[in-house]
Amino acid sequence: MLSNASIFIASAIYLGLLFAIAYWGDRRAEQGKSLLKNPAIYALSIAVYCTSWTFYGSVGRAASSGVGFLPIYLGPTLTFLLGWFVIGKIMRISRKHRITSIADFVSSRYGKSHVLGGLVTIIAVVGIMPYISLQLKAVWSSYNVMIGAAKSPPVGLWDDKALYVALMMAAFTIVFGTRHIDATEQHEGMVTAIAFESIVKLLAFMAVGFFVSYSMFDGVSDIYQRAAAHPDLASLMTMSKAEGNWLTLGVLAMVAIIFLPRQFQVIVVENTDERHLSHAVWMFPLYLLLINLFVLPIALGGLLYFSNGGVDADTFVLALPLAEGHPWLALFVFIGGLSAATGMVIVAAIALSTMICNDLVMPILLRYFKTELEERQEMTSLLLFIRRMAIIVILLLGYLYYRVIGESYALVTIGLVSFAAAAQFAPVILGGIYWKGGTQRGAVAGLLAGFVVWGYTLVLPSFALSDWLPISFVNQGPMGIALLKPYELFGLGGMDNISHALFWSMIANVGTYILVSLFDRPSAIERIQATLFVEVDRQAALSQSVGFWGAQVSVGELRELSSRYIGRDAAHKAFSEHAIRRDIDEDHWDQAAPYTVRFCERLLAGAIGSASARVLVASVVKGKGASLDEMLEVLDEASHVIEYSHQLELKSEALESATTELQEANERLRQLDRLKDEFLSHVAHELRTPLTSIRGFTEILYDNPEMETDQRQNFLGIMVEECQRLTRLINQVLDLARIESGRETWDITEVEMRDVIKHAVETLSQECEKDNVIIHVDVPKYLSLVLGDKDKLTQVVINLVSNAQKIYKGEGGEINISLVDMGDHVRIAVKDHGPGLHEDELRLVFEKFYQAKQIGTGNPTGSGLGLAISQRIVDHLGGKIWVESDYGKGATFFFTVPFSERAKKV
């Protein structure tokens, strides 16, 4: 065991180090060298999600339910991996509107309503109390384990060390997070310190995990083997002990990672660059994986080591090192747990104090003490005082919950109560950013309904179990009405308490929100804000115009108003930067344009919230321009004008696109006409040549009846050849016409490509011998079954070989035919050794192939329509045909045909 002094000194040194890091982070930000430009710091700050619940409670839950602790971490992982676009949209909205908290977000979306902002604040404070009490309980319990003190209730209030822990955390949070008012409500030093805390608690937890697994046991596998052999622990290795509420816990965790006030603070409010989200979507899930690697081994190791019981499973991470005589490792783990608890308390208290100040206290002061506020020359001290008092009240309320109820529940159960409270924000936020129909009254009704059901089904029963209410309230229901039993509301039983509460609270919340919104008529500003939030990426122009249109107010008045709340230096700097951006001459800057009034409102919104900022700016311009109602009506009309303009823009783009397509179509038609003319000219030329020869020889024979027999026979032979040529050409034209018209019949079967090549070569053998052309065939011996029409494939090979044969002009030569297996198709190549093709000739052949899909063209290296027909046949069979040539070394025509399914299996 360790002494009080050593624990206190180590804790004080650590907390002092945190403060030094925070101070350093703030100083770097003031110097323009922000540490938050590093996306790793942003991702690590999100790990404030891992509180003492993770550090102690996950082990305790794993000791009773095995892998039942996992949904709490699978939910956030899924949110970041699959729902990052939702987070990104919330970020963009918050940046445009200077959102300072989750209450400010909801209030701003639904018409900048003070009522709604205050309601969200109350729900957040009440809902997070259990979570803060969890941290106090964890710190105090771990401290008792460290000093070996027996767990006993305190004699009096001042004897309770947990009270001192709460006061210490309050003081540390005040020094840590409320040293000054920042117009952006971003705490760069705090975020840097939280990132450092995340590293400390990860290292501490992994250190005890390695110690238990590889020092106390022979590795993780040894722990699992021993647990599997133990009759009481074997079930923890399966899903049998895991509770049946995985879906409920997973959904709770998915929404809690965004809508818990502290998570909204670090993910949205403290974000300085939306691009950091692309790193967080994998870094944060990786962090969750690492910190949970040893949860189950520690839990099983603790159960095996303390087989006689007597040690709370929540404290295994401390009890195991202490039992093995490693107090300094236990102290490091204690610091890790303290880090997890203080990180959560600091961020949650800062977020809640901002909400209490901006959305609860300031609206009341502006409504009932407006005169007194206007007499104050400086408001920053008042804002800081309100936030500091709020932090103290928050921590004391957390301590009160711990004393009244906290001892009745395990750490995990306490945390789930807060998760269920945070889930009440999900409908109004998700509905608010994707549904324009959500209204302020609908949001208020939905939140109230869900909050009441949450309190009735979870909070009030906890008072009964702690003997602050009669236990009959839980067992029989109020006044004995069984249908109103909080754990079996309206007779719905068979569910665990958390799932039951979430089900009914969401039914009440979502149902009321939608129904009231559908029958409600939103105000002008609600419609405008709905458009700005839902269409955040498209409504930049409207967002810049929403302000006090027509107001006549001086820049000096706006600057003075801002100075009172954010400080004179900060206000003057902000207005100077605004003037530079707008290219305004500050020496002649008297009257404020609407966009400057809007800028002032956004500047104040960063310090006191959007709703209070609107009231303050309205008080300055009141009576000097358009009234608020008139302005909203104008803006409402403006939104419709912008929407109509956008529709016209889309129609204009569509018309322009259609015009371009029409021009392209006309160009294609002109090209087709040209190709058609070329085709007809080519066919006419091919037909005219043999006809002219036949007519010429006929006239010679007719005019010379006494011609010698040998010469007559020679002329007749030439005429027969020309007739055959004419017949082939006519057949080709007819074949091409049938294919083009779709009347060609196809006999598609499995074809052995070797037989096709063999038959084509045999058909041309006599003609090749006459021209002294030698054909070399190189085909594999294995099957090459393709799916095609045998006769037409033979025609393709004959056309290509005939084309190559004509290259030699009867002077002799060689033609090489090869077949290659290309995986899912065969490639046939017909190569000649003639002069080859020039670059222009090669390009022309390519053009002929491409054009052949529309207009049949001939082969520039031969006569007839063979290539056009071949292209159509190959294309119909799902293959390709092309030519390659190296000038002076011949040309090679290739075509491919797909294998049949049977050939692919072989």
Side-chain angles (χ1 to χ4, degrees):
M1 302 304 171
L2 293 171
S3 64
N4 282 322
S6 59
I7 297 174
F8 176 79
I9 292 173
S11 301
I13 292 174
Y14 177 70
L15 295 179
L17 177 61
L18 286 184
F19 181 79
I21 293 173
Y23 181 79
W24 176 57
D26 282 337
R27 290 285 294 173
R28 294 273 296 185
E30 292 171 0
Q31 297 168 359
K33 302 176 182 178
S34 174
L35 295 172
L36 300 192
K37 292 180 180 179
N38 188 333
I41 292 181
Y42 172 72
L44 286 171
S45 70
I46 301 174
V48 73
Y49 177 80
C50 299
T51 65
S52 57
W53 172 355
T54 299
F55 216 80
Y56 301 114
S58 291
V59 174
R61 187 175 182 85
S64 61
S65 62
V67 294
F69 73 97
L70 283 177
I72 302 301
Y73 306 98
L74 292 177
T77 299
L78 291 175
T79 296
F80 271 79
L81 293 178
L82 305 178
W84 54 267
F85 57 92
V86 177
I87 302 174
K89 186 171 186 178
I90 293 174
M91 282 180 177
R92 290 191 294 277
I93 293 171
S94 299
R95 184 175 296 106
K96 284 181 179 293
H97 297 270
R98 291 278 186 117
I99 300 299
T100 61
S101 65
I102 195 169
D104 193 25
F105 189 95
V106 176
S107 168
S108 182
R109 161 59 179 87
Y110 297 96
K112 302 190 177 182
S113 166
H114 283 307
V115 174
L116 192 52
L119 177 60
V120 173
T121 300
I122 292 172
I123 294 175
V125 171
V126 174
I128 301 306
M129 284 308 103
Y131 217 150
I132 292 177
S133 73
L134 183 156
Q135 313 309 314
L136 299 177
K137 178 178 180 179
V139 172
W140 183 236
S141 299
S142 61
Y143 173 76
N144 285 330
V145 172
M146 290 296 294
I147 63 175
K151 191 175 181 180
S152 59
V155 177
L157 178 64
W158 300 110
D159 184 55
D160 190 355
K161 302 299 188 297
L163 174 62
Y164 297 108
V165 173
L167 293 175
M168 179 196 70
M169 285 190 173
F172 187 70
T173 304
I174 289 172
V175 176
F176 205 88
T178 59
R179 291 185 292 116
H180 52 78
I181 294 291
D182 193 329
T184 64
E185 276 306 330
Q186 291 180 332
H187 310 79
E188 298 204 15
M190 179 200 74
V191 174
T192 305
I194 295 301
F196 176 76
E197 279 192 322
S198 297
I199 296 174
V200 170
K201 62 192 177 190
L202 175 63
L203 293 178
F205 198 86
M206 295 194 74
V208 71
F210 272 104
F211 172 75
V212 172
S213 301
Y214 298 99
S215 180
M216 296 180 62
F217 296 88
D218 293 331
V220 174
S221 59
D222 178 44
I223 295 176
Y224 287 160
Q225 289 174 3
R226 294 191 188 190
H230 196 288
D232 297 330
L233 303 183
S235 59
L236 296 177
M237 306 293 292
T238 66
M239 292 292 294
S240 60
K241 278 292 187 72
E243 298 179 12
N245 60 349
W246 268 53
L247 178 61
T248 301
L249 297 182
V251 171
L252 270 179
M254 287 182 72
V255 297
I257 190 60
I258 305 176
F259 302 129
L260 279 170
R262 75 172 189 277
Q263 295 304 135
F264 190 91
Q265 181 76 26
V266 295
I267 294 175
V268 178
V269 178
E270 303 292 348
N271 177 261
T272 59
D273 189 340
E274 188 182 337
R275 292 173 297 181
H276 291 172
L277 181 61
S278 62
H279 294 80
V281 294
W282 64 268
M283 292 181 69
F284 177 61
L286 177 61
Y287 184 95
L288 293 181
L289 172 65
L290 293 176
I291 204 167
N292 283 285
L293 280 178
F294 291 104
V295 169
L296 194 56
I298 293 173
L300 294 175
L303 292 173
L304 290 169
Y305 191 87
F306 300 112
S307 56
N308 295 327
V311 176
D312 187 354
D314 284 343
T315 65
F316 277 173
V317 292
L318 294 172
L320 287 170
L322 288 173
E324 284 292 294
H326 291 79
W328 295 109
L329 175 59
L331 180 61
F332 181 42
V333 176
F334 173 80
I335 294 297
L338 178 66
S339 182
T342 54
M344 179 271 165
V345 170
I346 289 170
V347 180
I350 289 174
L352 292 177
S353 67
T354 301
M355 293 162 64
I356 291 173
C357 176
N358 294 356
D359 297 282
L360 204 58
V361 178
M362 282 304 297
I364 295 174
L365 294 179
L366 289 172
R367 183 177 181 86
Y368 297 106
F369 302 94
K370 185 177 179 181
T371 304
E372 290 82 350
L373 291 180
E374 290 177 350
E375 293 176 354
R376 294 180 65 98
Q377 297 298 316
E378 186 266 335
M379 292 291 296
T380 54
S381 59
L382 176 62
L383 295 177
L384 288 174
F385 175 78
I386 294 172
R387 296 184 185 191
R388 289 166 180 170
M389 289 301 101
I391 289 172
I392 295 174
V393 171
I394 289 167
L395 267 296
L396 289 178
L397 286 176
Y399 166 75
L400 183 63
Y401 187 94
Y402 161 68
R403 283 295 304 270
V404 173
I405 298 173
E407 291 296 335
S408 303
Y409 291 95
L411 295 179
V412 170
T413 305
I414 296 174
L416 290 175
V417 173
S418 289
F419 271 30
Q424 306 308 314
F425 301 137
V428 295
I429 293 180
L430 295 178
I433 65 176
Y434 289 108
W435 182 41
K436 293 182 183 179
T439 67
Q440 176 189 325
R441 295 182 185 88
V444 170
L447 282 172
L448 275 176
F451 181 57
V452 168
V453 173
W454 168 81
Y456 184 80
T457 55
L458 280 181
V459 179
L460 289 183
S462 66
F463 280 96
L465 295 176
S466 301
D467 297 328
W468 290 89
L469 287 176
I471 194 64
S472 60
F473 174 78
V474 175
N475 297 332
Q476 288 96 36
M479 297 177 291
I481 303 175
L483 286 178
L484 297 181
K485 289 195 292 185
Y487 287 157
E488 297 180 14
L489 191 61
F490 303 127
L492 180 64
M495 301 175 70
D496 64 277
N497 300 340
I498 299 296
S499 299
H500 174 268
L502 183 66
F503 174 80
W504 283 118
S505 64
M506 284 295 104
I507 290 289
N509 190 328
V510 176
T512 307
Y513 169 61
I514 293 176
L515 285 176
V516 174
S517 295
L518 289 176
F519 291 97
D520 189 22
R521 179 178 175 81
S523 64
I525 191 171
E526 286 182 63
R527 294 196 296 273
I528 292 170
Q529 291 299 105
T531 300
L532 293 177
F533 274 58
V534 175
E535 301 181 10
V536 61
D537 296 318
R538 192 169 65 84
Q539 292 292 335
L542 182 59
S543 67
Q544 293 299 320
S545 66
V546 177
F548 292 85
W549 182 85
Q552 297 296 318
V553 60
S554 70
V555 175
E557 289 178 283
L558 294 178
R559 189 186 286 116
E560 185 63 28
L561 177 65
S562 302
S563 299
R564 293 171 57 207
Y565 287 89
I566 68 172
R568 186 166 301 277
D569 292 340
H572 280 264
K573 180 181 178 182
F575 272 83
S576 295
E577 292 175 351
H578 172 71
I580 293 172
R581 286 195 300 271
R582 290 285 182 173
D583 196 20
I584 298 172
D585 183 4
E586 290 193 71
D587 294 333
H588 301 86
W589 194 19
D590 298 323
Q591 290 300 115
Y595 53 77
T596 300
V597 181
R598 170 63 178 163
F599 162 76
C600 179
E601 182 187 349
R602 292 180 65 245
L603 186 65
L604 288 171
I608 59 174
S610 58
S612 297
R614 172 162 288 272
V615 172
L616 282 175
V617 177
S619 68
V620 174
V621 301
K622 187 175 181 180
K624 299 181 182 180
S627 68
L628 183 61
D629 291 336
E630 291 172 345
M631 178 201 70
L632 293 178
E633 291 300 327
V634 170
L635 291 176
D636 189 34
E637 292 300 322
S639 67
H640 289 297
V641 170
I642 289 178
E643 178 67 24
Y644 180 67
S645 299
H646 179 69
Q647 292 176 1
L648 288 179
E649 182 181 352
L650 292 178
K651 291 179 180 178
S652 176
E653 292 176 355
L655 181 60
E656 182 179 351
S657 176
T659 302
T660 302
E661 291 179 1
L662 182 60
Q663 292 173 346
E664 293 176 352
N666 288 333
E667 179 63 29
R668 287 196 297 270
L669 286 175
R670 285 194 294 270
Q671 184 180 13
L672 288 176
D673 287 339
R674 179 177 58 81
L675 294 174
K676 180 183 67 176
D677 293 340
E678 291 179 1
F679 169 66
L680 293 176
S681 175
H682 178 75
V683 171
H685 172 73
E686 294 293 336
L687 290 172
R688 189 181 300 111
T689 301
L691 286 173
T692 301
S693 298
I694 293 172
R695 183 169 55 251
F697 284 117
T698 301
E699 292 175 354
I700 293 173
L701 291 174
Y702 182 80
D703 293 338
N704 298 279
E706 299 178 355
M707 183 180 294
E708 294 182 3
T709 302
D710 292 340
Q711 189 174 7
R712 181 181 293 275
Q713 291 298 325
N714 184 39
F715 282 178
L716 288 174
I718 294 174
M719 291 175 65
V720 169
E721 290 180 357
E722 291 297 326
C723 288
Q724 291 175 344
R725 177 184 174 190
L726 180 61
T727 301
R728 283 197 304 271
L729 182 60
I730 293 173
N731 288 334
Q732 287 177 343
V733 172
L734 293 175
D735 289 342
L736 193 59
R738 283 196 304 271
I739 295 174
E740 287 294 331
S741 64
R743 293 194 296 269
E744 181 64 74
T745 57
W746 300 83
D747 183 17
I748 305 299
T749 59
E750 279 192 338
V751 178
E752 172 54 61
M753 204 61 207
R754 290 182 304 178
D755 295 342
V756 169
I757 296 173
K758 179 181 178 182
H759 181 59
V761 171
E762 289 175 351
T763 303
L764 295 171
S765 60
Q766 291 183 357
E767 191 171 344
C768 289
E769 287 179 5
K770 184 177 65 175
D771 290 339
N772 197 24
V773 174
I774 301 173
I775 300 177
H776 300 285
V777 179
D778 180 17
V779 297
K781 295 182 179 180
Y782 54 79
L783 288 175
S784 54
L785 296 175
V786 300
L787 196 63
D789 185 313
K790 183 175 182 179
D791 292 338
K792 291 183 173 57
L793 284 173
T794 303
Q795 183 180 357
V796 172
V797 177
I798 289 174
N799 287 343
L800 296 181
V801 174
S802 297
N803 190 69
Q805 179 187 347
K806 294 181 178 68
I807 296 293
Y808 300 112
K809 300 178 182 179
E811 298 177 359
E814 295 182 358
I815 298 175
N816 296 88
I817 304 176
S818 62
L819 184 150
V820 180
D821 182 347
M822 302 301 291
D824 60 349
H825 64 273
V826 294
R827 186 188 70 192
I828 297 89
V830 178
K831 177 178 176 58
D832 64 61
H833 297 275
L837 299 172
H838 285 289
E839 183 178 350
D840 293 339
E841 293 176 317
L842 190 62
R843 178 180 55 80
L844 184 58
V845 174
F846 276 115
E847 290 178 356
K848 297 299 183 184
F849 278 135
Y850 295 135
Q851 294 165 359
K853 294 183 180 180
Q854 300 165 336
I855 296 295
T857 60
N859 173 18
T861 62
S863 62
L865 300 172
L867 285 184
I869 296 173
S870 299
Q871 188 278 332
R872 279 160 174 72
I873 294 173
V874 172
D875 187 62
H876 183 84
L877 298 178
K880 297 180 180 179
I881 185 169
W882 71 97
V883 61
E884 295 178 3
S885 178
D886 187 1
Y887 185 68
K889 298 182 180 179
T892 305
F893 282 84
F894 298 90
F895 73 95
T896 64
V897 189
F899 276 127
S900 67
E901 291 300 320
R902 184 158 65 98
K904 290 179 181 178
K905 293 178 181 178
V906 173

